[in-house]
Amino acid sequence: MRLHWYWSSNPQKVRLALEELGLSYELSPVNLTTRAQKEPGYLDIHPRGKVPALEIDGTVLWESGAALLYLGEREQRLWPSSGPDRATALNLLFLESSAWQAQASAYFYNRVVMPFIGAQPDKSRVEKASKKIHPLLDLLDRQLGQSDYLLGEFSLVDCAYAPWLPVLDLETFPSLERWRSRLTQRASWQACEFTY
């Protein structure tokens, strides 16, 4: 099993899941700063020239959400197998990729990537994202309720959201702040060597 990876958010979701599942994998760094993701050899692995790409069971999963779902079904752990919990897990997983990511990435880009490359963040972009992500934070807050994790127990759905949480303003959502704190204290988080 090989994970083509960079320290950005989407690859970290899959790496976090692999660590949580205790699976043995090879980490294959793809340096986005040198555009290694656009080299012909890598494009054979990931046709969109992005990260992550998870080589597993003789195939490649090149969407992070697809990789999480595949791992959950393959391992039959940290993923509900049927019923309402599975429906909730699918809804939250697809919400992360279809709506959440667009707003959270504005925070990540301006608070992590721009300083990393020595550029000035665009505060207006973060302000716009803040307005759009607020209803999603409210939805997650209601989903979390008094539970420790989104599905009650830790699941791969938490892995989908975890890498975005350090860059977000959660002060008005104390339960989401506590969720973020629980996630960042997990051994899997420490193993992933988050640098932001």
Side-chain angles (χ1 to χ4, degrees):
M1 193 181 310
R2 177 182 297 174
L3 177 63
H4 299 272
W5 174 90
Y6 193 64
W7 54 260
S8 54
S9 305
N10 284 324
Q12 288 287 49
K13 297 178 207 174
V14 181
R15 187 174 182 194
L16 196 59
L18 292 169
E19 290 291 337
E20 282 287 345
L21 290 164
L23 299 175
S24 177
Y25 64 96
E26 178 185 340
L27 199 59
S28 180
V30 178
N31 190 342
L32 302 189
T33 64
T34 62
R35 300 191 50 80
Q37 76 276 20
K38 300 299 183 184
E39 293 175 2
Y42 186 70
L43 288 171
D44 292 339
I45 296 166
H46 194 310
R48 295 182 62 219
K50 295 181 178 284
V51 286
L54 178 63
E55 293 186 79
I56 182 172
D57 299 336
T59 191
V60 179
L61 293 150
W62 40 261
E63 286 293 329
S64 57
L68 294 177
L69 177 56
Y70 186 91
L71 288 168
E73 292 183 343
R74 179 186 191 259
E75 298 300 311
Q76 297 185 14
R77 290 185 289 136
L78 304 181
W79 184 259
S81 58
S82 62
D85 285 345
R86 186 170 193 275
T88 300
L90 289 168
N91 280 331
L92 291 172
L93 190 63
F94 282 84
L95 174 73
E96 189 278 332
S97 62
S98 66
W100 170 272
Q101 215 176 103
Q103 308 317 318
S105 64
Y107 284 84
F108 186 82
Y109 188 77
N110 283 282
R111 292 184 171 173
V112 178
V113 176
M114 296 295 272
F116 178 76
I117 62 173
Q120 280 295 102
D122 183 347
K123 291 181 182 177
S124 66
R125 196 166 167 222
V126 173
E127 287 171 12
K128 287 178 189 174
S130 176
K131 291 175 185 168
K132 292 181 179 179
I133 204 168
H134 191 85
L136 302 176
L137 289 169
D138 192 49
L139 186 155
L140 291 180
D141 189 56
R142 289 193 312 273
Q143 174 64 36
L144 194 60
Q146 298 304 309
S147 300
D148 286 346
Y149 299 103
L150 289 173
L151 300 182
E153 299 292 322
F154 181 87
S155 73
L156 297 181
V157 174
D158 295 292
C159 292
Y161 289 89
W164 303 107
L165 297 177
V167 299
L168 298 180
D169 301 318
L170 300 178
E171 294 78 18
T172 57
F173 295 96
S175 60
L176 296 184
E177 279 190 306
R178 290 190 293 274
W179 174 48
R180 173 173 62 191
S181 178
R182 278 189 292 276
L183 289 167
T184 59
Q185 291 172 24
R186 294 181 72 86
S188 59
W189 183 278
Q190 306 305 319
C192 289
E193 305 169 300
F194 283 84
T195 56
Y196 53 91

Coordinates of all heavy atoms in Angstrom, one line a residue, residues 95 99-104 106-107 124-139 168:
L95 N -20.7 16.0 2.0 CA -20.7 17.4 2.3 C -19.3 18.0 2.4 O -19.1 19.1 1.9 CB -21.4 17.6 3.7 CG -21.5 19.0 4.2 CD1 -22.4 19.9 3.4 CD2 -21.8 19.0 5.7
A99 N -19.1 20.9 -0.4 CA -19.3 22.3 0.1 C -18.3 22.8 1.1 O -17.8 23.9 1.0 CB -20.7 22.3 0.8
W100 N -17.9 21.9 2.0 CA -17.0 22.3 3.1 C -15.6 22.7 2.6 O -15.1 23.7 2.9 CB -16.9 21.2 4.1 CG -15.8 21.3 5.1 CD1 -14.5 20.9 5.0 CD2 -16.0 21.9 6.4 NE1 -13.9 21.1 6.2 CE2 -14.7 21.7 7.1 CE3 -17.0 22.4 7.1 CZ2 -14.5 22.2 8.4 CZ3 -16.8 22.9 8.4 CH2 -15.6 22.7 9.0
Q101 N -15.1 21.9 1.7 CA -13.7 22.0 1.2 C -13.5 23.4 0.5 O -12.5 24.0 0.7 CB -13.4 20.9 0.3 CG -12.0 20.4 0.4 CD -11.8 19.2 -0.5 OE1 -11.2 19.4 -1.6 NE2 -12.2 18.0 -0.1
A102 N -14.5 23.8 -0.2 CA -14.3 25.1 -1.0 C -14.1 26.2 0.0 O -13.3 27.1 -0.3 CB -15.5 25.3 -1.8
Q103 N -14.8 26.2 1.1 CA -14.6 27.3 2.1 C -13.4 27.1 3.0 O -12.6 28.1 3.2 CB -15.9 27.5 2.9 CG -17.2 27.5 2.1 CD -17.1 28.5 0.9 OE1 -16.5 29.5 1.0 NE2 -17.7 28.0 -0.2
A104 N -13.2 25.9 3.5 CA -12.1 25.6 4.4 C -10.8 25.9 3.6 O -9.8 26.3 4.2 CB -12.2 24.2 4.9
A106 N -10.1 28.1 1.5 CA -9.7 29.6 1.5 C -8.9 29.9 2.8 O -8.0 30.7 2.8 CB -11.0 30.4 1.4
Y107 N -9.3 29.3 3.9 CA -8.6 29.5 5.2 C -7.2 28.9 5.1 O -6.2 29.5 5.4 CB -9.3 28.9 6.3 CG -10.5 29.6 6.8 CD1 -11.8 29.4 6.2 CD2 -10.4 30.4 7.9 CE1 -12.9 30.1 6.7 CE2 -11.6 31.1 8.4 CZ -12.8 30.9 7.8 OH -13.9 31.6 8.3
S124 N -9.7 39.4 2.6 CA -11.1 39.5 2.1 C -11.6 38.1 1.6 O -12.8 37.8 1.8 CB -11.2 40.5 0.9 OG -10.5 40.0 -0.2
R125 N -10.7 37.3 1.1 CA -11.1 35.9 0.7 C -11.5 35.1 1.9 O -12.5 34.3 1.9 CB -10.0 35.3 -0.1 CG -10.4 34.1 -0.8 CD -9.4 33.6 -1.8 NE -9.8 32.3 -2.3 CZ -8.9 31.3 -2.5 NH1 -7.6 31.5 -2.3 NH2 -9.4 30.1 -2.8
V126 N -10.8 35.3 3.0 CA -11.1 34.6 4.3 C -12.5 35.1 4.8 O -13.3 34.3 5.3 CB -10.0 34.7 5.3 CG1 -10.4 34.1 6.7 CG2 -8.7 34.0 4.8
E127 N -12.7 36.4 4.7 CA -14.0 36.9 5.2 C -15.1 36.4 4.4 O -16.2 36.1 5.0 CB -13.9 38.5 5.1 CG -13.0 39.1 6.2 CD -12.8 40.6 5.9 OE1 -13.5 41.2 5.1 OE2 -11.9 41.1 6.6
K128 N -15.0 36.3 3.1 CA -16.1 35.7 2.3 C -16.3 34.3 2.7 O -17.5 33.8 2.8 CB -15.7 35.8 0.8 CG -15.8 37.2 0.2 CD -15.4 37.2 -1.2 CE -15.3 38.6 -1.7 NZ -14.7 38.7 -3.1
A129 N -15.2 33.5 2.8 CA -15.3 32.1 3.2 C -16.0 31.9 4.6 O -16.8 31.0 4.8 CB -14.0 31.4 3.2
S130 N -15.7 32.9 5.5 CA -16.2 32.8 6.8 C -17.8 32.9 6.8 O -18.4 32.1 7.5 CB -15.7 34.0 7.6 OG -16.3 34.0 8.9
K131 N -18.3 33.7 5.9 CA -19.8 33.8 5.8 C -20.4 32.5 5.3 O -21.5 32.1 5.7 CB -20.2 35.0 4.9 CG -19.8 36.3 5.6 CD -20.1 37.5 4.6 CE -19.6 38.8 5.3 NZ -19.6 39.9 4.4
K132 N -19.7 31.9 4.3 CA -20.2 30.7 3.7 C -20.0 29.5 4.5 O -20.8 28.5 4.4 CB -19.6 30.5 2.3 CG -20.0 31.6 1.3 CD -19.4 31.4 0.0 CE -19.8 32.5 -1.0 NZ -19.2 32.3 -2.3
I133 N -19.0 29.4 5.3 CA -18.7 28.2 6.1 C -19.5 28.2 7.4 O -19.8 27.2 8.0 CB -17.2 28.1 6.4 CG1 -16.9 26.6 6.7 CG2 -16.8 28.9 7.6 CD1 -15.4 26.2 6.7
H134 N -20.0 29.4 7.8 CA -20.8 29.4 9.1 C -21.9 28.5 9.2 O -22.1 27.8 10.2 CB -21.2 30.9 9.4 CG -21.7 31.1 10.8 ND1 -20.9 31.3 11.9 CD2 -23.0 31.0 11.3 CE1 -21.6 31.4 13.0 NE2 -22.9 31.2 12.6
P135 N -22.8 28.4 8.1 CA -23.9 27.4 8.2 C -23.4 26.0 8.2 O -24.1 25.1 8.8 CB -24.7 27.7 6.9 CG -24.3 29.1 6.4 CD -22.9 29.3 6.9
L136 N -22.3 25.7 7.6 CA -21.7 24.4 7.7 C -21.2 24.0 9.1 O -21.4 22.9 9.6 CB -20.6 24.2 6.6 CG -21.1 24.5 5.2 CD1 -19.9 24.4 4.2 CD2 -22.2 23.5 4.7
L137 N -20.6 25.0 9.7 CA -20.1 24.8 11.1 C -21.3 24.6 12.0 O -21.3 23.8 12.9 CB -19.3 26.1 11.5 CG -17.9 26.2 10.9 CD1 -17.4 27.6 11.2 CD2 -17.0 25.1 11.3
D138 N -22.4 25.3 11.7 CA -23.6 25.2 12.5 C -24.2 23.7 12.4 O -24.6 23.1 13.3 CB -24.6 26.2 12.1 CG -25.8 26.3 13.1 OD1 -25.6 26.4 14.3 OD2 -26.9 26.3 12.6
L139 N -24.2 23.3 11.1 CA -24.6 21.9 10.9 C -23.8 20.9 11.6 O -24.3 19.9 12.2 CB -24.6 21.7 9.3 CG -25.2 20.4 8.8 CD1 -25.6 20.6 7.4 CD2 -24.2 19.2 8.9
L168 N -9.3 27.0 11.2 CA -10.6 27.7 11.2 C -10.8 28.4 12.5 O -10.2 28.1 13.6 CB -11.7 26.6 11.1 CG -11.7 25.8 9.8 CD1 -12.9 24.9 9.8 CD2 -11.8 26.8 8.6

